[in-house]
């Protein structure tokens, strides 16, 4: 719900449990007055106190009132060059060379329903589920105008934001930054949590109190990256899983981003989130506009767990466009870790057939099936099937796989080219390369300049040949390197700062076309595992391969970090062989299954090589998952152990919406001698109900399971797991 106090220009956005407020204050400065737990309303601008602060200048309209300074006021969209020295939201180089953007309120509009953004991912909602507020700001001198868009999704406590910058003047200007979100707080006693790591170790949570100055994370890699995720949390210092004020902010964007927080001289703080400004510029001629990607905010006073559940709900209901919505995603078998590039029809059929007998439902053919590709230095760009490996093409494999009772899926990496390929030999200039420079390789491959229409058309046409394969229901869209040599022959020198963003727009355009022309296809996103695991990508690819690391122990941390923002049903997770290819660690099959079940469940090993006991375990795991998948993937998720203080085990829980069914999973680390006994306190149950555990005779009261807990039995050995299936009587 959006309410507007027209006289005082106070705009209040209410979701079920939160309130967000802004006010067009004195001299037309758009002040941020509140974001937090729901309140009745009113005008909260008296919270903002003014004082003459030395070296904080005063805008011309304030005359000699030295208490009014942009440098100290909480604002909705911070300006640059006009007296606010903190993190800006927007920067531009104007026609006269100045870099001053001074924005003032000049109008608003409220409408029912949620705005959409052309060519960009965005949360969606039915007309009756959301409202939009647009606030218009303008820089009087240059004619630069800003439209701030706010979407209010009441049911899941989500406020979305997007920004359109318009050149309403008479001369072109160069936009140097256009953040999607600026959020000011009249406090700085907050912790910042970011999700950081590296290839094969993505999204590990890291938490620290705000210190004076600027802190934050970002990516300059052209992809959202393995190193940092475009999602950040600000929370009270003592906030934990169950208590405390928490704010979650995510950017729906898959390219370079910046998430920064500044704690200022007066212990106020400011979060700015948006496209990475480093190396970014965008020229706007008169009348043109630029749309910054959407950001989404949630807030709760009930701790990090509640924050995650709000985001999960919002993503499931209002972001994923899943052709299998409401249905179980198939349990898949992928051949990558089993074969890498070395396979033929018979081998693939063997793996698929063995997995089918154990209950798998989809065979995904991974890398190496096209062009001449026997290693990762060859073949990308040549999307004709390699008949030596697969006589009869994808069609025959698809037929054989389907004869085994499985659906068929295929891997592609459309954004790339190998120098050793027909495509590169014909069009070396199609790769991102700057004049006179040899291109930098990543995984021995180059990035196609998708900002060029002819390159995009080639990619789309060649994908068309693959995606129209009879029986194909699934495609894994991979991307295995970061962007370098960012220069495009399609753009003049002054516009080269646009290439990275245009690249992301091109990827979105391609994915949107695939969705439109092959609506039945489930697209799995992937970028060397989780290098592009972000809310932007989820709009096109409702599940994403979470990490190239399939070691179950490492996955506990990776998946736990991922769970802070993203729901289990989006997290690609497979059981792979041991010793694990990345860590050389051997973890029991039972445990590998329990960990993979915290995501979209599948296998990635040569099932033919499994022992009979292992096969029996796999059969049981698949049957179990098929029975309980909806609780796992659509239930409310609870982290039962502290992500920031690792203990002897990691535990998590999913609970059905009616709280009658729940799955508890627990995995231990390395064994230690003579260990203490542990009690696991469950969450999210109905205190009034009695639960039966794993179909046994005993009944456990919900209130006791949550308040007193459940006794964790001694589990001898390294990396043991257990699952408790709770069903209310
Ligand atoms: C990286 C992906 O994350 C892997 O799962 C696999 O598809 C390889 N690429 C294939 O090259």
């Amino acid at each position: 719900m959006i309410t507007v106090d027209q006289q005082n220009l106070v705009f209040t956005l209410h979701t079920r449990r939160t309130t967000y407020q802004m006010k067009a204050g004195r001299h037309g400065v758009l002040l941020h007055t509140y974001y937090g737990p729901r309140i009745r309303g009113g005008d909260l601008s008296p919270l903002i106190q003014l004082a003459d602060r030395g070296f904080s200048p005063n805008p011309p309209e304030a005359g000699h009132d030295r208490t009014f300074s942009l440098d100290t006021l909480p604002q909705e969209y911070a300006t640059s060059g006009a007296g606010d020295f903190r993190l800006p939201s927007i920067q531009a180089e104007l026609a006269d060379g100045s870099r001053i953007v001074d924005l003032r309120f000049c109008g608003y509009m409220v409408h029912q329903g949620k705005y959409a953004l052309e060519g960009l991912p965005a949360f969606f909602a039915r007309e009756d589920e959301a409202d939009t507020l647009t606030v218009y700001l303008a820089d009087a001198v240059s004619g630069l105008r800003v439209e701030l868009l706010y979407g209010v999704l009441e049911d899941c406590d989500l406020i979305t934001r997007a920004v359109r910058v318009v050149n309403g003047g008479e001369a072109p200007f160069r936009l140097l930054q256009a953040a999607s979100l600026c959020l000011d707080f009249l406090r700085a006693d907050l912790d910042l949590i970011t999700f950081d790591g590296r290839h094969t170790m993505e999204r590990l949570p890291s938490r620290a109190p705000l210190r004076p100055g600027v802190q934050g994370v970002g990516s300059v890699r052209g992809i959202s990256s393995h190193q940092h995720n475009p999602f950040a949390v600000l929370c009270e210092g003592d906030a934990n899983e169950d208590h405390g004020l928490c704010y979650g902010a995510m950017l729906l964007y898959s390219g370079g981003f910046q998430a920064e927080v500044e704690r200022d001289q007066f212990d106020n703080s400011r979060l700015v989130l948006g496209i990475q400004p480093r190396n970014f510029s965008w020229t706007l001629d008169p009348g043109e506009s630029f749309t910054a990607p959407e950001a989404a905010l949630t807030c709760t006073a009930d701790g990090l767990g509640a924050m995650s559940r709000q985001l999960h709900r919002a993503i499931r209901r209002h972001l994923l466009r899943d052709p299998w919505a409401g249905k179980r995603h198939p349990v898949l078998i992928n051949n990558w870790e089993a074969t890498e590039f070395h396979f033929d029809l018979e081998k693939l059929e063997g793996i698929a057939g063995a997995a089918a007998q154990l209950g798998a439902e989809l065979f995904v053919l991974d890398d190496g099936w096209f062009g001449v590709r026997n290693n990762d230095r060859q073949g990308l760009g040549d999307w004709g099937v390699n008949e030596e490996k697969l006589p009869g093409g994808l069609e025959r494999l698809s037929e054989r796989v389907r004869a085994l009772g499985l659906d068929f899926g295929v891997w592609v990496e459309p954004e790339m080219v190998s120098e050793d390929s027909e495509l590169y030999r014909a069009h070396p200039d199609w790769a991102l390369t700057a004049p006179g420079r040899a291109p930098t390789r990543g995984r021995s491959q180059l990035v196609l300049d998708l900002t060029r229409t002819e390159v995009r058309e080639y990619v789309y046409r060649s994908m068309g040949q693959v995606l129209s394969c009879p029986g194909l229901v699934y495609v894994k869209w991979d991307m295995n390197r970061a962007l370098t040599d960012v220069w495009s022959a399609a753009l003049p020198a002054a516009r080269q700062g646009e290439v990275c963003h245009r690249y992301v727009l091109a990827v979105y355009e391609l994915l949107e076309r695939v969705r439109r022309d092959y609506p039945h296809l489930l697209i799995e996103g992937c970028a060397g595992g989780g290098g592009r695991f972000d809310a932007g990508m989820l709009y096109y690819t409702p599940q994403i391969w979470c990490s190239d690391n399939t070691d179950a122990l490492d996955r506990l941390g990776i998946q736990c970090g991922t769970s802070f923002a993203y729901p289990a049903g989006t997290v690609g997770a497979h059981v792979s062989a041991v010793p694990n290819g990345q860590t050389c660690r051997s973890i029991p099959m039972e445990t590998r299954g329990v960990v993979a079940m915290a995501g979209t469940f599948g296998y990635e090993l040569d099932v033919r090589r499994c022992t009979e006991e292992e096969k029996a375990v796999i059969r049981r795991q698949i049957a179990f998952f098929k029975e309980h998948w909806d609780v796992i993937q659509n239930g409310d998720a609870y982290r039962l152990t502290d992500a920031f203080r690792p203990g002897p085990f990691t535990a998590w829980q999913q609970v059905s919406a009616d709280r009658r069914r729940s799955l508890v999973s627990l995995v231990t680390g390395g064994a230690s001698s003579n260990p203490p006994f542990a009690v696991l306190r469950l969450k999210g149950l109905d205190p009034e109900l009695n639960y039966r555990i794993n179909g046994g005779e005993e009944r456990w009261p919900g209130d006791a399971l949550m308040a007193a807990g459940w006794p964790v039995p001694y589990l001898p050995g390294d990396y043991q797991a257990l699952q408790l299936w709770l069903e209310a009587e």
Side-chain angles (χ1 to χ4, degrees):
M1 183 177 57
I2 298 174
T3 62
V4 180
D5 169 350
Q6 293 195 27
Q7 206 176 352
N8 298 303
L9 293 172
V10 177
F11 305 91
T12 307
L13 322 179
H14 290 295
T15 68
R16 228 158 27 121
R17 281 166 306 198
T18 69
T19 299
Y20 187 109
Q21 194 186 78
M22 71 197 83
K23 172 177 176 153
R26 234 192 295 160
H27 313 308
V29 173
L30 187 62
L31 302 170
H32 175 75
T33 53
Y34 179 72
Y35 184 34
R38 185 164 171 144
I39 53 173
R40 269 172 289 152
D43 173 357
L44 292 175
S45 60
L47 289 171
I48 305 168
Q49 303 187 57
L50 302 182
D52 177 0
R53 304 291 199 179
F55 285 81
S56 289
N58 320 105
E61 307 96 306
H64 291 284
D65 175 3
R66 299 209 319 219
T67 67
F68 190 90
S69 172
L70 297 182
D71 200 28
T72 60
L73 292 168
Q75 290 161 74
E76 275 302 308
Y77 203 63
T79 56
S80 49
D84 187 345
F85 297 110
R86 296 167 294 173
L87 288 173
S89 315
I90 183 164
Q91 298 182 71
E93 185 179 85
L94 305 176
D96 59 8
S98 65
R99 293 186 173 201
I100 302 163
V101 182
D102 194 9
L103 298 169
R104 294 289 188 274
F105 176 84
C106 53
Y108 73 93
M109 204 173 75
V110 175
H111 73 82
Q112 212 192 345
K114 160 84 177 43
Y115 65 84
L117 301 175
E118 212 192 317
L120 281 165
F123 281 91
F124 54 81
R126 287 193 322 258
E127 278 288 291
D128 59 340
E129 285 176 327
D131 298 300
T132 296
L133 166 70
T134 310
V135 178
Y136 300 92
L137 307 173
D139 175 56
V141 174
S142 64
L144 183 154
R145 295 204 312 256
V146 170
E147 298 172 11
L148 300 179
L149 297 152
Y150 297 82
V152 184
L153 282 82
E154 278 191 60
D155 68 330
C156 42
D157 296 303
L158 199 76
I159 305 279
T160 66
R161 293 185 54 172
V163 174
R164 198 169 290 131
V165 182
V166 184
N167 186 347
E170 274 156 24
F173 61 78
R174 238 152 59 94
L175 203 53
L176 303 172
Q177 180 189 10
S180 302
L181 165 82
C182 169
L183 185 62
D184 277 1
F185 298 87
L186 291 174
R187 61 187 298 187
D189 54 338
L190 298 169
D191 284 4
L192 171 65
I193 306 176
T194 55
F195 299 85
D196 316 308
R198 54 191 183 273
H199 178 225
T200 71
M201 284 307 279
E202 300 91 338
R203 291 176 299 288
L204 307 176
S206 124
R207 175 173 183 165
L210 291 185
R211 54 174 178 72
V214 175
Q215 51 240 267
V217 296
S219 159
V220 288
R221 296 166 189 266
I223 51 175
S224 48
S225 90
H226 303 86
Q227 286 73 15
H228 301 287
N229 196 259
F231 171 66
V233 176
L234 279 170
C235 61
E236 287 177 330
D238 58 358
N240 62 19
E241 283 294 328
D242 307 305
H243 307 284
L245 188 60
C246 302
Y247 298 90
M250 59 171 60
L251 188 66
L252 284 72
Y253 192 58
S254 312
F257 72 96
Q258 189 178 64
E260 286 191 336
V261 184
E262 179 169 358
R263 174 174 164 187
D264 76 10
Q265 52 183 337
F266 301 114
D267 280 343
N268 299 312
S269 42
R270 169 175 292 168
L271 165 67
V272 176
L273 177 61
I275 291 183
Q276 170 63 252
R278 203 198 309 172
N279 299 332
F280 168 85
S281 69
W282 196 279
T283 301
L284 284 181
D285 287 326
E288 286 184 346
S289 68
F290 175 85
T291 305
E294 181 165 277
L297 280 167
T298 199
C299 165
T300 174
D302 298 329
L304 296 163
M307 176 204 70
S308 297
R309 287 185 290 282
Q310 284 172 199
L311 289 170
H312 295 176
R313 223 168 288 141
I315 290 174
R316 283 196 304 255
R317 289 190 196 159
H318 298 291
L319 185 66
L320 302 180
R321 301 175 301 167
D322 182 352
W324 298 33
K327 288 184 275 172
R328 182 166 52 75
H329 284 192
V331 175
L332 68 82
I333 170 82
N334 173 304
N335 69 301
W336 175 247
E337 288 204 20
T339 66
E340 298 210 335
F341 298 101
H342 314 295
F343 54 79
D344 55 24
L345 189 59
E346 201 192 327
K347 197 168 185 181
L348 297 178
E349 227 183 321
I351 294 172
Q357 280 176 14
L358 305 180
E361 298 161 305
L362 166 73
F363 172 74
V364 180
L365 169 64
D366 212 282
D367 194 355
W369 57 266
F370 49 89
V372 178
R373 181 140 166 107
N374 299 314
N375 57 57
D376 59 14
R377 293 187 299 283
Q378 312 172 296
L380 290 172
D382 300 342
W383 294 104
V385 79
N386 181 326
E387 290 268 346
E388 268 173 43
K389 289 184 186 174
L390 296 179
L394 290 181
E395 290 74 7
R396 183 170 307 161
L397 178 63
S398 167
E399 229 170 70
R400 297 273 180 94
V401 161
R402 283 181 289 147
L404 295 167
L406 297 170
D407 279 325
F408 181 52
V410 74
W411 176 99
V412 292
E413 191 175 0
E415 300 163 55
M416 298 290 152
V417 63
S418 306
E419 287 156 282
D420 183 3
S421 69
E422 293 305 319
L423 179 65
Y424 189 76
R425 282 184 278 275
H427 299 286
D429 62 308
W430 281 12
L432 284 179
T433 348
R437 293 177 195 278
T440 311
R441 296 184 188 97
R443 205 199 189 195
S444 295
Q445 65 197 43
L446 307 181
V447 185
L448 285 172
D449 180 1
L450 296 179
T451 71
R452 288 171 66 173
T453 316
E454 65 276 31
V455 181
R456 260 193 332 272
E457 285 314 308
Y458 169 83
V459 168
Y460 195 68
R461 264 200 324 277
S462 53
M463 280 304 107
Q465 285 159 23
V466 179
L467 302 182
S468 47
C469 169
L472 191 79
V473 300
Y474 188 97
V475 59
K476 175 177 174 186
W477 181 297
D478 203 351
M479 197 281 186
N480 280 295
R481 60 158 292 179
L483 270 56
T484 57
D485 306 283
V486 174
W487 188 89
S488 173
L491 292 168
R495 285 185 173 263
Q496 293 298 325
E498 300 178 12
V499 177
C500 277
H501 181 57
R502 285 186 187 273
Y503 180 89
V504 179
L505 294 178
V507 172
Y508 290 157
E509 184 197 303
L510 283 169
L511 283 163
E512 192 60 34
R513 282 170 80 181
V514 170
R515 278 186 35 79
R516 186 197 60 204
D517 295 345
Y518 307 90
H520 61 286
L521 281 184
L522 174 57
I523 316 175
E524 177 185 26
C526 178
R532 224 165 38 178
F533 201 122
D534 55 69
M537 218 52 184
L538 284 176
Y539 183 67
Y540 305 93
T541 66
Q543 68 183 54
I544 300 180
W545 182 226
C546 179
S547 176
D548 273 347
N549 188 344
T550 54
D551 173 89
L553 199 72
D554 280 353
R555 272 290 183 128
L556 287 176
I558 297 168
Q559 293 177 186
C560 170
T562 307
S563 78
F564 274 78
Y566 309 106
T570 65
V571 176
H574 299 166
V575 173
S576 63
V578 291
N580 182 272
Q582 289 84 16
T583 61
C584 298
R585 192 162 23 220
S586 288
I587 290 184
M589 180 64 89
E590 283 85 351
T591 305
R592 283 177 271 156
V594 168
V595 175
M597 253 180 234
T600 67
F601 189 52
Y603 291 80
E604 188 155 338
L605 73 178
D606 189 343
V607 188
R608 296 171 307 173
R609 298 202 182 156
C610 292
T611 64
E612 285 313 309
E613 281 102 36
E614 284 173 330
K615 285 185 184 166
V617 175
I618 295 178
R619 192 175 281 115
R620 270 204 311 277
Q621 286 170 342
I622 296 181
F624 184 86
F625 180 77
K626 286 179 180 171
E627 206 180 329
H628 303 311
W629 72 277
D630 65 318
V631 174
I632 297 175
Q633 299 197 334
N634 297 322
D636 282 331
Y638 294 84
R639 290 176 290 269
L640 299 181
T641 41
D642 189 339
F644 302 96
R645 261 183 255 136
F649 59 81
T650 302
W652 64 97
Q653 185 184 358
Q654 289 106 352
V655 186
S656 64
D658 62 5
R659 297 194 289 173
R660 299 191 66 84
R661 293 167 304 144
S662 176
L663 179 66
V664 178
S665 307
L666 179 147
V667 174
T668 67
S672 85
S673 159
N674 200 16
F677 282 116
V679 162
L680 187 64
R681 272 177 288 278
L682 306 190
K683 297 182 184 178
L685 301 175
D686 185 334
E688 305 293 328
L689 292 176
N690 292 326
Y691 293 85
R692 199 170 161 176
I693 300 185
N694 287 342
E697 289 309 310
E698 287 172 73
R699 307 288 181 268
W700 285 73
D703 54 0
L705 282 169
M706 293 191 289
W710 184 81
V712 178
Y714 173 53
L715 297 168
D718 291 339
Y719 322 125
Q720 298 298 305
L722 63 80
Q723 280 179 317
L724 307 179
W725 175 252
L726 273 63
E727 200 139 10
E729 289 289 272

